[in-house]
Amino acid sequence: TPAVVNTIRICFREILVNAIEHGNLGITFEEKTRAIEKSDYMEFLLARQKESKYASRRVYIDYLINGRALMFRVTDEGDGFDHTTFLERAKSDPYLAMLEHGRGIIMTRNVFDTVTFNEKGNQVILTKRIPR
């Protein structure tokens, strides 16, 4: 249905934004929170993109779409993150649900059938089965 396709698109976009901001640009959750609270996040983001350490990093996307499933693999060139701790915190921290950010991974887990991170935390595989 169009609603499901739109929701998948939103979640995929969230994963891509995470790969760029948190992965390739190394922006921590706390740094993003502070910059948003100060209303200068775009300036912060643009400045970080120009730093030589981050400027040449890429995000790689592999996908498989057929009559049975959608699969996306998103890999960034960042240092990864502790996805296990983040997901555990998300289960019990109501503050996360009120932030303007930090909900993308949680939402994606609710939309895709599987969301699997590699050990380093710089790659995620999303799988959505297509009902017959």
Side-chain angles (χ1 to χ4, degrees), residues 49-112:
Q49 287 176 333
K50 293 176 184 172
E51 293 180 31
S52 61
K53 177 179 179 178
Y54 306 107
S56 65
R57 290 184 176 180
R58 303 283 180 252
V59 173
Y60 299 92
I61 302 166
D62 300 294
Y63 63 92
L64 169 68
I65 301 173
N66 61 33
R68 294 177 289 155
L70 307 170
M71 293 182 73
F72 301 100
R73 180 173 57 198
V74 179
T75 309
D76 64 60
E77 295 182 325
D79 296 331
F81 81 111
D82 184 353
H83 50 87
T84 305
T85 299
F86 176 83
L87 293 171
E88 284 300 314
R89 178 181 170 202
K91 290 179 187 177
S92 61
D93 188 345
Y95 177 67
L96 285 179
M98 298 185 321
L99 291 173
E100 293 180 37
H101 65 288
R103 297 178 299 215
I105 293 172
I106 298 162
M107 181 174 61
T108 300
R109 287 186 57 175
N110 291 327
V111 171
F112 281 84

Side-chain angles (χ1 to χ4, degrees), residues 11-78:
C11 291
F12 185 67
R13 180 186 167 278
E14 289 291 323
I15 294 298
L16 288 177
V17 167
N18 284 348
I20 294 166
E21 292 180 351
H22 301 298
N24 283 356
L25 296 178
I27 298 170
T28 67
F29 186 85
E30 292 75 18
E31 285 175 318
K32 186 170 182 176
T33 301
R34 280 194 304 274
I36 288 171
E37 288 171 352
K38 290 176 18 183
S39 299
D40 69 351
Y41 186 65
M42 286 308 296
E43 292 83 7
F44 175 74
L45 187 66
L46 292 170
R48 182 66 67 100
Q49 287 176 333
K50 293 176 184 172
E51 293 180 31
S52 61
K53 177 179 179 178
Y54 306 107
S56 65
R57 290 184 176 180
R58 303 283 180 252
V59 173
Y60 299 92
I61 302 166
D62 300 294
Y63 63 92
L64 169 68
I65 301 173
N66 61 33
R68 294 177 289 155
L70 307 170
M71 293 182 73
F72 301 100
R73 180 173 57 198
V74 179
T75 309
D76 64 60
E77 295 182 325

